[in-house]
Amino acid sequence: MLEPKVVLFLASVLFCCGVYGVLSRRHLIMMLMSLELMLNAINIMLVTFSRHWAGKGAGLVGAHSGQFFTLMVMAVAAAEVGIGLAFIVAIYRRKHTADADAAAELKG
Amino acid sequence: MEVVFWLSFVVTLLGAAMLVTQKHAVYALLGLLIAFFGSAGVFLALDAPFVAVSQILIYAGALAVMFLFVLMFTDTRTEEDKGLPGAIGSRAVFDPATASSAKKKKKGEEKPHPLSGLVMPKPMAVVVSLSLLVCMVVAIMKLPSSYNAFGELPSVQGATVREGEPAPNYDTKSPRHVKQPDGSLLDVPRHVRYGETAAVSHTIFEGFPLAFEVVSLLIFAAVLGAVLLARRHLAGIPGTQDTAKEQEHA
């Protein structure tokens, strides 16, 4: 029998990979990609929690709320990536680099 | 289901490792894609097939392509490796002379303080993320053992249902109208099984319809914002003209 804590462990390893990527990568796009990995780890956690910790007596909505939240996180992540990539293109046009330190000033 | 889970466990971890270790941006993107497919497998093993399919459609289908487009628009080299043999996407052909001169220039320059920029030095990032991992694992260990073991599903009726037995039925709020022989309509409760698409759709439209609509508004705003941000003249680059003005001149 598979312990649901193993799934949570997988998700936390993924999350920490994402944290490492965001902290150590210089390229803005790579930072955004690592951010996506972190969101993905949280999605796995949400589904696991609602699947295994929903409790007896949770109705239809309660038992599936984790899946619903996951779908919402996906939608928000898609919106975030759209805006983030547009920002990166705008920064690249100005600074001719996508280095994180180039965008640190937030000033033309 | 366990086979699916362990397979996707390995695939996901491999993809994540590829994402953080690969220096070439396109290979790192490939790692991210692999991790996304792996987590779709994890969702499948967790009785969330709809989430798994949307994961592949949205992340692997749409986001990865968007990332790839922007990788091609921009120079994937950073200040660190400017002049060195660039990552994929850099148009400059590797020239040993310029590379060595860049190295010399780097040596001559005064090295900035490692914590002066936004980017953390790698050993420090490893320490931070590993300590975060330790915290999370300790928290997971302290969780109460699950109410529902693997293979058991949360049930409305109070009794858990084992895997292989008929799945629990969830009553939805919208009954099915069955036509009686005399022409009248009889309301029969509609049942769905755990995790199937109908159950997710009932959750969305019975449980959180407002959130669903608000998210559609958010995506609309994001699309508008992305179009505005990426417009050429709004970036205010010196030397570039408004596209409308350019058309006038032409």
Side-chain angles (χ1 to χ4, degrees):
Chain A
M1 197 170 72
L2 190 60
E3 184 71 15
K5 285 178 184 175
V6 179
V7 190
L8 292 180
F9 173 73
L10 167 73
S12 40
V13 171
L14 280 186
F15 188 84
C16 291
C17 278
V19 168
Y20 170 76
V22 169
L23 289 180
S24 67
R25 288 290 185 146
R26 290 203 136 254
H27 200 270
L28 282 171
I29 297 179
M30 305 299 292
M31 290 171 93
L32 208 58
M33 281 198 230
S34 308
L35 212 66
E36 285 307 301
L37 195 69
M38 285 161 74
L39 285 171
N40 197 44
I42 295 308
N43 281 348
I44 293 177
M45 281 198 180
L46 280 173
V47 172
T48 317
F49 276 121
S50 89
R51 167 76 172 70
H52 290 282
W53 277 273
K56 298 187 172 70
L60 170 79
V61 172
H64 293 89
S65 54
Q67 295 189 27
F68 171 75
F69 291 148
T70 299
L71 292 174
M72 290 298 111
V73 170
M74 278 181 192
V76 174
E80 169 225 312
V81 165
I83 292 286
L85 288 179
F87 261 119
I88 291 172
V89 168
I91 289 168
Y92 181 76
R93 282 207 182 127
R94 267 187 163 262
K95 312 255 182 183
H96 300 286
T97 177
D99 194 292
D101 285 333
E105 292 163 12
L106 289 181
K107 185 182 150 218
Chain B
M1 273 311 178
E2 273 190 47
V3 182
V4 175
F5 174 75
W6 285 111
L7 267 178
S8 23
F9 185 94
V10 175
V11 168
T12 312
L13 286 186
L14 275 180
M18 201 170 159
L19 170 70
V20 289
T21 53
Q22 282 290 336
K23 206 150 174 51
H24 289 205
V26 177
Y27 292 156
L29 179 62
L30 187 66
L32 184 70
L33 250 177
I34 291 170
F36 281 157
F37 273 103
S39 13
V42 173
F43 287 138
L44 213 58
L46 286 169
D47 291 306
F50 182 72
V51 179
V53 172
S54 3
Q55 164 95 7
I56 291 177
L57 278 180
I58 296 174
Y59 278 119
L63 282 194
V65 175
M66 218 148 79
F67 271 118
L68 201 61
F69 263 119
V70 177
L71 276 182
M72 287 170 176
F73 279 142
T74 59
D75 192 351
T76 54
R77 291 169 303 170
T78 55
E79 292 297 331
E80 223 172 22
D81 44 33
K82 272 275 163 72
L84 296 174
I88 289 181
S90 64
R91 257 153 270 134
V93 184
F94 174 54
D95 178 16
T98 52
S100 58
S101 71
K103 265 184 192 163
K104 266 179 212 160
K105 217 167 97 188
K106 236 178 199 168
K107 264 182 201 163
E109 277 171 10
E110 205 176 311
K111 235 187 167 184
H113 189 266
L115 287 178
S116 62
L118 275 180
V119 185
M120 226 180 235
K122 282 206 164 66
M124 199 171 152
V126 168
V127 170
V128 169
S129 48
L130 272 186
S131 44
L132 182 66
L133 179 65
V134 169
C135 292
M136 288 172 100
V137 167
V138 168
I140 288 169
M141 290 301 192
K142 287 197 170 179
L143 278 174
S145 51
S146 55
Y147 299 140
N148 314 288
F150 213 80
E152 288 172 346
L153 298 161
S155 161
V156 225
Q157 279 81 12
T160 38
V161 177
R162 294 248 157 220
E163 211 167 16
E165 290 178 27
N169 291 323
Y170 291 93
D171 288 326
T172 62
K173 276 188 201 158
S174 47
R176 191 170 46 209
H177 307 295
V178 177
K179 204 167 189 185
Q180 295 297 102
D182 60 344
S184 64
L185 289 174
L186 183 70
D187 286 355
V188 177
R190 199 193 294 264
H191 296 303
V192 286
R193 278 182 291 123
Y194 183 84
E196 70 176 6
T197 309
V200 178
S201 86
H202 279 291
T203 307
I204 292 174
F205 294 110
E206 286 173 8
F208 314 94
L210 184 67
F212 181 75
E213 298 299 335
V214 169
V215 153
S216 68
L217 208 65
L218 176 87
I219 290 182
F220 179 61
V223 168
L224 283 186
V227 170
L228 266 178
L229 277 173
R231 273 174 79 176
R232 196 159 256 270
H233 72 285
L234 277 178
I237 320 146
T240 53
Q241 294 276 316
D242 190 347
T243 39
K245 274 183 193 166
E246 275 173 4
Q247 278 169 1
E248 263 176 42
H249 283 292

